[in-house]
Amino acid sequence: MDLVERYLQFAGSTLDETGQIGVRYFRQPIDIAQKADASPVTVADIEIEAMIRDRIAQAYPSHGILGEEQDSVNPSAELCWVIDPIDGTKSFISGMPLWGTLIALLKDSRPVFGIIDVPALGERYVSTLGRGTERNGQSIRTSNCDELRACNMFATSPDMFSATEFQVFDSLSRRARFRRFGGDCYTYAMLAAGKIDAVIEAGLKPYDYLPVAPIVTGAGGFMTDWNGKPLTPSSDGRVIAAATPELHRALLEETVKLQQTEIKFAAS
């Protein structure tokens, strides 16, 4: 067994445990706190991340950790784990089953693998560098949509965009076949599974986009920032994910044009 496979098995067994925590609290009375940025956090978020961090510290004490609920630990380490204990906390609180736990392992700031674990639905999406994307062990692929006018486009919430960013998204998405909001990490899972054609978002953190990027690309899709650059821990949180290179290119070209137009308009 190579090291990557060993790390992957470690992540999978850890998620088997954390999934039980999430399901135990899901749709039950639960205390909700607000973080400094006004986003909600629950005891489930805190317990899940604490368990993952504890497992990593015991098994791989030299590795770095970048998580949502606690301070980073040695983030410049050659190998660094990225954790989002509950991506979609608002969905979790609302009883919607589309929340998930996200994990990625980075080597020199690039994902080696990514995982989207969706305990309420019993689905786990895994992509390892060079091995494709699987849902519960079965290979999945993105759609073959290659035109803006033919795609269905998603974003988690209009509230995540700045005013200028939303003008870009609004102009672009109104030219798509249709657009929808909601879904959090599950939209990227459905993009990888060929059900959604494009996702355009802003305001994301590294623990939001680094674990899902391998899921999309491993299934045949493309995912970059709004300028077409690869996603790294220092990216600005604006992402374009698409089912095909042709669709990604079309979205990227239009996004760049619209950004320039909106910036000129705002400055005038």
Side-chain angles (χ1 to χ4, degrees):
M1 181 189 302
D2 65 20
L3 271 177
V4 172
E5 187 63 30
R6 189 173 301 167
Y7 294 145
L8 195 58
Q9 287 195 7
F10 165 79
S13 62
T14 301
L15 287 168
D16 289 341
E17 296 185 69
T18 59
Q20 295 177 35
I21 297 174
V23 170
R24 185 172 73 247
Y25 284 114
F26 185 50
R27 293 178 177 168
Q28 300 299 316
I30 190 170
D31 290 333
I32 304 164
Q34 274 197 333
K35 294 186 284 189
D37 63 359
S39 62
V41 61
T42 71
V43 65
D45 297 82
I46 294 168
E47 285 190 18
I48 289 171
E49 182 165 325
M51 176 177 281
I52 297 172
R53 283 174 174 265
D54 183 60
R55 295 289 188 272
I56 294 169
Q58 290 183 39
Y60 307 111
S62 66
H63 290 193
I65 302 174
L66 173 61
E68 181 175 13
E69 305 304 339
Q70 298 181 36
D71 291 339
S72 298
V73 175
N74 195 19
S76 60
E78 179 185 15
L79 292 168
C80 183
W81 296 84
V82 181
I83 308 162
D84 191 342
I86 296 184
D87 183 89
T89 299
K90 292 176 182 177
S91 293
F92 182 85
I93 292 167
S94 305
M96 302 294 288
L98 304 184
W99 52 275
T101 298
L102 309 181
I103 291 183
L105 178 62
L106 309 184
K107 179 177 172 59
D108 298 325
S109 299
R110 300 289 184 181
V112 174
F113 62 73
I115 303 175
I116 301 174
D117 190 51
V118 191
L121 299 181
E123 297 177 6
R124 183 174 297 170
Y125 297 78
V126 180
S127 182
T128 306
L129 194 64
R131 301 187 196 176
T133 298
E134 296 181 347
R135 174 175 57 201
N136 295 350
Q138 300 296 314
S139 295
I140 55 175
R141 294 290 296 178
T142 56
S143 75
N144 60 5
C145 181
D146 59 6
E147 293 184 335
L148 170 56
R149 64 182 180 180
C151 81
N152 55 46
M153 186 182 297
F154 274 64
T156 294
S157 170
D159 297 336
M160 295 178 66
F161 297 95
S162 70
T164 300
E165 290 166 344
F166 184 74
Q167 288 298 320
V168 172
F169 173 81
D170 189 52
S171 298
L172 192 60
S173 61
R174 290 189 183 279
R175 294 159 56 191
R177 181 161 60 100
F178 65 82
R179 71 179 186 182
R180 296 279 294 172
F181 292 102
D184 302 294
C185 62
Y186 201 66
T187 58
Y188 298 95
M190 290 297 96
L191 174 57
K195 303 301 181 183
I196 290 172
D197 303 313
V199 183
I200 298 182
E201 300 203 274
L204 302 184
K205 304 297 184 184
Y207 44 75
D208 296 315
Y209 59 78
L210 288 172
V212 304
I215 302 295
V216 172
T217 58
F222 282 69
M223 187 166 171
T224 67
D225 70 11
W226 280 23
N227 294 308
K229 296 179 180 178
L231 296 169
T232 71
S234 59
S235 296
D236 64 9
R238 300 185 298 175
V239 305
I240 299 175
T244 61
E246 295 83 5
L247 179 58
H248 181 270
R249 189 179 307 115
L251 295 173
L252 180 61
E253 289 174 355
E254 290 303 311
T255 299
V256 170
K257 289 178 186 176
L258 288 166
Q259 286 182 88
Q260 294 171 344
T261 300
E262 291 302 325
I263 290 170
K264 288 178 181 178
F265 177 78
S268 63

